[in-house]
Amino acid sequence: AQTVTQSQPEMSVQEAETVTLSCTYDTSESNYYLFWYKQPPSRQMILVIRQEAYKQQNATENRFSVNFQKAAKSFSLKISDSQLGDTAMYFCAFMRGSGNTPLVFGKGTRLSVIA
Amino acid sequence: NAGVTQTPKFQVLKTGQSMTLQCAQDMNHNSMYWYRQDPGMGLRLIYYSASEGTTDKGEVPNGYNVSRLNKREFSLRLESAAPSQTSVYFCASCDFSWSTEAFFGQGTRLTVV
């Protein structure tokens, strides 16, 4: 079974600063996908960024980027130029690459951006 | 484009009552999922349906049943609600054949008293 661990229950960052959220995972699969989802106070789950395990290049989406270390099974999210709207719960998630399999989520990190 | 629609958004039940949470998606996705979210626990999978006509248990299936009524709809039933089922429930859908992105409904906040 796959497991996803987020070791930081809560974090805070000053507006315009950079913050990194940590995620580690455990799997014996070679083909898989990793995701970061954002959940603002509205409760809506929003995909922030995804990474295919077979790609060596780290994914980036505007101010969001990941540091994917496959050997270490680590998948951290870096948010640059933090904005007040980034305040949310962030969930790291894993999906096997072998078909229509469910997402496995970490417990989440609550990020507060402070003005 | 509605995406994934869950009903109701809020519900209060008494212990022992039954109810069905409805979920429908209009994206022609093969796979649908039910998760529950509890503080400090992340999202945990209750049941999923990889395709129409199939359902499988997830991590926390006890006390729940599901029905994949057709390709669009996937309902979650609580036969005899318990306070431990107080949670926020999310339905999601995905079609791996063209994208790995899962789309989520807005959630149902259920309180069992």
Side-chain angles (χ1 to χ4, degrees):
Chain A
Q2 290 75 33
T3 59
V4 177
T5 302
Q6 294 179 250
S7 59
Q8 306 151 313
E10 294 188 16
M11 297 189 71
S12 62
V13 63
Q14 293 289 132
E15 198 175 8
E17 298 295 309
T18 295
V19 64
T20 299
L21 279 58
S22 300
C23 173
T24 58
Y25 59 95
D26 188 24
T27 184
S28 59
E29 303 278 336
S30 59
N31 182 23
Y32 54 87
Y33 300 83
L34 296 164
F35 306 83
W36 280 98
Y37 277 86
K38 170 185 178 181
Q39 186 183 45
S42 67
R43 213 164 64 194
Q44 183 65 46
M45 294 290 287
I46 302 165
L47 178 64
V48 174
I49 197 165
R50 86 187 90 184
Q51 175 80 43
E52 295 87 345
Y54 62 86
K55 289 188 177 179
Q56 292 188 334
Q57 187 172 6
N58 289 326
T60 62
E61 289 286 344
N62 300 314
R63 298 182 295 108
F64 299 87
S65 61
V66 298
N67 184 4
F68 175 46
Q69 300 290 328
K70 191 172 184 178
K73 295 181 181 175
S74 170
F75 183 62
S76 60
L77 174 70
K78 185 171 82 172
I79 305 174
S80 304
D81 185 26
S82 296
Q83 301 176 359
L84 295 177
D86 296 333
T87 293
M89 283 290 291
Y90 287 83
F91 293 100
C92 180
F94 172 101
M95 178 190 282
R96 288 166 51 196
S98 56
N100 290 318
T101 57
L103 287 162
V104 177
F105 287 89
K107 294 184 177 182
T109 297
R110 183 176 300 280
L111 177 67
S112 299
V113 180
I114 303 165
Chain B
N1 188 356
V4 180
T5 303
Q6 284 182 239
T7 54
K9 288 188 171 48
F10 301 93
Q11 183 72 48
V12 178
L13 286 180
K14 294 183 178 179
T15 297
Q17 286 185 319
S18 62
M19 80 161 295
T20 300
L21 280 64
Q22 307 286 354
C23 176
Q25 52 92 8
D26 62 2
M27 296 170 283
N28 203 37
H29 286 171
N30 283 320
S31 299
M32 298 185 72
Y33 314 95
W34 277 106
Y35 290 90
R36 61 177 288 173
Q37 182 180 11
D38 302 292
M41 299 298 292
L43 279 77
R44 293 181 292 170
L45 183 68
I46 305 171
Y47 271 93
Y48 69 102
S49 172
S51 61
E52 187 179 356
T54 68
T55 60
D56 286 286
K57 294 179 180 179
E59 181 184 355
V60 288
N62 290 344
Y64 306 95
N65 285 301
V66 291
S67 295
R68 183 75 183 265
L69 303 170
N70 47 55
K71 193 170 186 179
R72 289 186 67 248
E73 298 172 288
F74 189 39
S75 62
L76 178 71
R77 183 160 177 84
L78 287 69
E79 291 290 353
S80 179
S84 60
Q85 295 178 304
T86 293
S87 187
V88 178
Y89 292 84
F90 285 95
C91 178
S93 72
C94 183
D95 196 315
F96 191 81
S97 61
W98 63 273
S99 172
T100 56
E101 181 173 358
F103 292 83
F104 287 79
Q106 294 233 328
T108 297
R109 181 175 293 279
L110 175 67
T111 302
V112 183
V113 299

